[in-house]
Amino acid sequence: MRKALVTGITGQDGSYLAEFLLEKGYQVVGMVRRTSTTNFDRIKHIQDKLILTQGDLLDQVSLVDTMREYQPDEIYNLAAQSFVPTSWKQPVLTGEFTALGVTRMLEAMRMVAPEARFYQASSSEMFGKVRRVPQNEDTPFYPRSPYGVAKVYGHWITVNYRESYDLFACSGILFNHESPRRGLEFVTRKVTRGAARIKLGLAQELAMGNLEAQRDWGFAGDYVRAMWLMLQQEQPGDYVVATGKTHSVRQLLEVAFRLVDLDYQEHVRVDHQFIRPADVDRLVGDASKAREKLGWKPEVGFEKLVEMMVNADLALLKGSP
């Protein structure tokens, strides 16, 4: 039985990846931070099939001890401070988790599990002020937030450890990927939950930021499959994972509100407190390499994704499981 160590297992991606790996017959070890209110909601349906252990990206010793105890075959580093607006309010902490945390993981792997295969969760936010459209593995980075800067560091330190220590270390440059398990603070979930709340009479309006921002949105369940495929290759490498199609926040609003028979223009107002100090441009990925080398392609389209999220929020707000 192969063994996988997943950091950030209680998050959106971690929960979908844990499900996927269990279906593949893996023993899954999830690393969680010790807090007084740890939220296991996303993994409670599979929690009895997982091994959960305490560890922290800020604590090198805990990472070494975890890898020494479990000797994983595959390591998926999904833990990070991953919310872009928070990175402006807590830039140093974001750097500690999202940048230096990757170095601590790689160093622990190099010391005690050098034969393991490592996946680093890179991000389309690294492209920021884009140099070309669409973006692929060769597009220069120009991050526009402390989060994006930290992810660039994490990406390049992964490349450096791969080349310097001959580790099997990959980076997945994932474009925006969403699901009903997305955190409430993210724009897609804010929109789908907002539409559901207004439909059910729990709210009258929804305050939004930049409606013209464009993103390449896919389904998280599709994207964790690409993570696994990267670690099954003969040689390590970096891959863009994206749908190749872009939509604006305004289009997201149109689809979500239409699904509940509402006109978003009657309920949405722009609030400048939600506009970033520096926003990214048109993010749209070219996943040709992933398609050709991994045999990967997304299965859930944009409108199906939004429908899935709106229906889940309606059910949640009505009290359904």
Side-chain angles (χ1 to χ4, degrees):
M1 180 182 289
R2 284 191 288 179
K3 192 180 297 179
L5 171 63
V6 181
T7 72
I9 196 166
T10 59
Q12 170 188 257
D13 292 7
S15 66
Y16 280 109
L17 178 62
E19 285 177 346
F20 180 86
L21 293 173
L22 288 171
E23 289 171 4
K24 290 285 184 184
Y26 281 71
Q27 184 178 52
V28 180
V29 180
M31 194 181 83
V32 295
R33 294 179 66 211
R34 170 71 181 92
T35 66
S36 58
T37 56
T38 304
N39 186 346
F40 293 120
D41 284 354
R42 295 185 180 96
I43 57 170
K44 63 185 178 184
H45 61 296
I46 54 171
Q47 195 169 337
D48 61 342
K49 300 176 183 177
L50 305 171
I51 299 172
L52 298 180
T53 185
Q54 289 185 9
D56 198 314
L57 291 186
L58 302 186
D59 181 21
Q60 182 79 54
V61 173
S62 71
L63 304 181
V64 171
D65 288 348
T66 297
M67 292 191 199
R68 181 175 288 132
E69 179 176 358
Y70 294 104
Q71 289 295 315
D73 300 295
E74 297 173 6
I75 300 165
Y76 295 86
N77 185 40
L78 309 185
Q81 190 304 99
S82 60
F83 188 47
V84 174
T86 296
S87 77
W88 288 104
K89 296 182 182 296
Q90 297 180 313
V92 176
L93 185 65
T94 298
E96 287 286 350
F97 275 116
T98 309
L100 293 177
V102 186
T103 309
R104 296 186 188 103
M105 286 291 294
L106 287 163
E107 191 64 11
M109 174 185 166
R110 184 181 72 85
M111 292 169 63
V112 299
E115 299 305 312
R117 297 188 167 201
F118 182 86
Y119 172 84
Q120 165 59 15
S122 289
S123 168
S124 61
E125 290 284 335
M126 300 188 305
F127 294 120
K129 190 174 182 178
V130 297
R131 306 289 85 189
R132 66 176 75 104
V133 177
Q135 296 89 49
N136 63 21
E137 294 80 7
D138 298 320
T139 304
F141 300 135
Y142 195 140
R144 295 273 281 171
S145 67
Y147 169 76
V149 172
K151 279 295 186 183
V152 169
Y153 177 100
H155 179 86
W156 282 117
I157 200 68
T158 301
V159 172
N160 271 256
Y161 268 68
R162 177 171 74 218
E163 295 178 349
S164 301
Y165 299 115
D166 197 29
L167 299 179
F168 194 107
C170 301
S171 280
I173 306 173
L174 270 58
F175 280 65
N176 294 65
H177 46 289
E178 319 297 321
S179 75
R181 300 179 193 172
R182 194 52 143 157
L184 294 175
E185 69 272 25
F186 289 87
V187 67
T188 45
R189 187 73 192 286
K190 181 178 178 180
V191 167
T192 61
R193 185 176 174 84
R197 280 174 56 81
I198 292 170
K199 177 63 176 179
L200 296 175
L202 301 174
Q204 295 299 317
E205 66 174 19
L206 179 62
M208 297 292 297
N210 180 12
L211 302 189
E212 308 313 322
Q214 297 186 53
R215 296 290 185 276
D216 184 330
W217 279 302
F219 173 50
D222 286 339
Y223 285 39
V224 299
R225 183 163 38 89
M227 300 176 188
W228 177 78
L229 284 167
M230 290 178 209
L231 299 196
Q232 312 315 308
Q233 305 306 303
E234 289 188 12
Q235 297 296 325
D238 306 321
Y239 297 84
V240 163
V241 180
T243 70
K245 299 176 181 177
T246 187
H247 298 87
S248 68
V249 175
R250 189 180 297 279
Q251 289 173 299
L252 171 64
L253 287 162
E254 288 173 350
V255 173
F257 277 76
R258 186 173 69 240
L259 286 166
V260 292
D261 299 316
L262 294 174
D263 182 350
Y264 84 95
Q265 296 180 82
E266 296 177 3
H267 300 280
V268 173
R269 65 177 176 84
V270 173
D271 187 330
H272 289 277
Q273 70 168 309
F274 296 121
I275 294 178
R276 298 180 186 180
D279 208 346
V280 300
D281 298 315
R282 187 181 173 214
L283 289 177
V284 54
D286 174 6
S288 299
K289 181 180 177 182
R291 190 165 55 249
E292 293 163 9
K293 296 203 169 192
L294 306 180
W296 178 88
K297 63 179 180 179
E299 295 177 357
V300 177
F302 176 71
E303 297 214 2
K304 180 64 177 175
L305 171 63
V306 180
E307 180 182 6
M308 183 191 306
M309 294 176 68
V310 169
N311 288 341
D313 276 320
L314 284 169
L316 192 65
L317 290 166
K318 290 175 181 176
S320 301

